[in-house]
Amino acid sequence: MGESVNTASQEAAKRVAIVTGSSRGIGKAIALRLAKEGINVVINYNSSEGPALEVVEKCKEYGVDAIAVKANTADQKEIGNLFREAFKYFGQIDYLVNNAGVVDDAYLMMVPKDSLDRSFEINVKGYFYACQSAALKMMKRGGRIVNISSVSGRMALAGQSVYSATKGAVNSLTQVLAKELGQYGITVNAVAPGFIQTEMIDAVPEEKMQEYLKAIPLGRQGTADEVAEVVNMLLGPAGDYITGQIITMDGGLSL
Ligand code: NAP
């Protein structure tokens, strides 16, 4: 087993994180939080180049280095290229945050095949291929993987058969990989948020959202910054002995 990169004595400025889908929303908040921690960041986007470049500049304001790499995480070759570019530039990859995801809610009989395929390609196969690429880079010196899942991975909401199935798969993947990769000093965890204020939930009708809010003991949506704090915790010393966990942060919605 190689020397772990996760010791508190390690120089933060040398660590490098790839955050998929970090041009906006939760991924952007994670990238900025890690940059604030002194971690170099690879910003990944698919279509939002301008916003991705803005995130790069904001990261640099924290004194770290950052680059933006376009890659559609539904495509295994593009994920391979993302890791190659990141490695070529930084020479190491210590952390992967699998975050790029889509939601496409519809009742069972109304789910179009292309929506089903796209959701599994991005939310499941994309995470899987990125984990493969990350593990290859981390096996010698250890590393950490955080998969952004969802409370929908274990809580049933009508109309979310596809999304729930993809996030349930992410949870299972996380636990199996924690067992497989522990011997290399690689931790694998998932963060499962409830409703978080981003563009993703803009499509939820206001009436429906009011219903959900009544079911949340804390009585509000979460913020992307709150998710970023949990990810940062898992990548820091507090996460040294945590692996295979699905950390739910939903204001109590799933209780
Ligand atoms: P969002 O605001 O819609 O942002 C999605 C991000 O993913 C964007 O940066 C987008 O970049 C990127 N992306 C989408 N498809 C991509 C692809 N094929 N390749 C590369 N990048 C891609 O979503 P969010 O709310 O921040 O969600 C982020 C993650 O949190 C997702 O996995 C989601 O399932 C999970 N989550 C969200 C909530 C919530 O309430 N918001 C709750 C639980 C879990 P481009 O614009 O460049 O495509």
Side-chain angles (χ1 to χ4, degrees):
M1 189 200 318
E3 189 190 336
S4 168
V5 294
N6 301 313
T7 57
S9 61
Q10 190 202 18
E11 241 184 277
K14 287 184 181 164
R15 291 178 286 163
V16 179
I18 294 180
V19 184
T20 68
S22 42
S23 55
R24 54 192 163 86
I26 292 171
K28 173 182 175 180
I30 293 169
L32 292 174
R33 180 65 188 86
L34 299 186
K36 194 175 169 191
E37 203 64 22
I39 297 169
N40 295 327
V41 200
V42 179
I43 307 302
N44 158 249
Y45 65 98
N46 184 31
S47 54
S48 324
E49 184 180 21
L53 294 175
E54 278 173 32
V55 179
V56 165
E57 290 314 310
K58 281 192 177 165
C59 286
K60 287 182 176 172
E61 285 171 19
Y62 289 111
V64 299
D65 203 354
I67 56 168
V69 181
K70 174 174 164 51
N72 176 0
T73 59
D75 185 320
Q76 186 183 9
K77 281 194 189 135
E78 293 195 24
I79 289 180
N81 188 54
L82 166 65
F83 278 78
R84 265 191 303 282
E85 291 287 313
F87 197 76
K88 195 165 82 183
Y89 189 81
F90 285 111
Q92 69 188 64
I93 293 159
D94 303 299
Y95 307 133
L96 164 67
V97 183
N98 262 323
N99 166 81
V102 289
V103 66
D104 216 354
D105 291 347
Y107 286 99
L108 180 66
M109 299 306 177
M110 315 285 277
V111 175
K113 184 181 180 311
D114 58 352
S115 156
L116 179 68
D117 290 344
R118 175 172 170 265
S119 293
F120 272 86
E121 273 157 20
I122 298 172
N123 296 6
V124 182
K125 289 166 89 173
Y127 277 37
F128 184 92
Y129 291 131
C131 285
Q132 273 187 329
S133 295
L136 272 174
K137 295 291 180 211
M138 294 173 184
M139 272 174 166
K140 274 195 186 153
R141 30 189 330 268
R144 294 191 187 180
I145 297 172
V146 177
N147 293 322
I148 303 302
S149 179
S150 166
V151 71
S152 301
R154 70 178 183 91
M155 183 189 175
L157 292 178
Q160 286 211 318
S161 57
V162 175
Y163 187 65
S164 281
T166 65
K167 294 302 186 179
V170 166
N171 293 349
S172 300
L173 178 70
T174 300
Q175 292 181 324
V176 173
L177 295 191
K179 280 209 170 179
E180 289 189 11
L181 300 178
Q183 63 186 310
Y184 304 105
I186 303 171
T187 66
V188 189
N189 291 289
V191 175
F195 290 102
I196 305 297
Q197 291 155 20
T198 69
E199 285 173 37
M200 183 175 269
I201 60 164
D202 283 353
V204 180
E206 181 56 29
E207 210 174 288
K208 198 82 192 153
M209 184 51 73
Q210 288 308 323
E211 254 178 56
Y212 289 140
L213 286 174
K214 279 186 203 143
I216 299 174
L218 291 184
R220 65 171 177 85
Q221 297 171 355
T223 67
D225 287 343
E226 287 171 324
V227 180
E229 279 305 328
V230 177
V231 173
N232 183 54
M233 180 275 286
L234 286 169
L235 299 187
D240 281 357
Y241 200 55
I242 301 177
T243 197
Q245 301 308 303
I246 318 296
I247 300 180
T248 301
M249 46 171 306
D250 63 355
L253 172 66
S254 57
L255 293 173

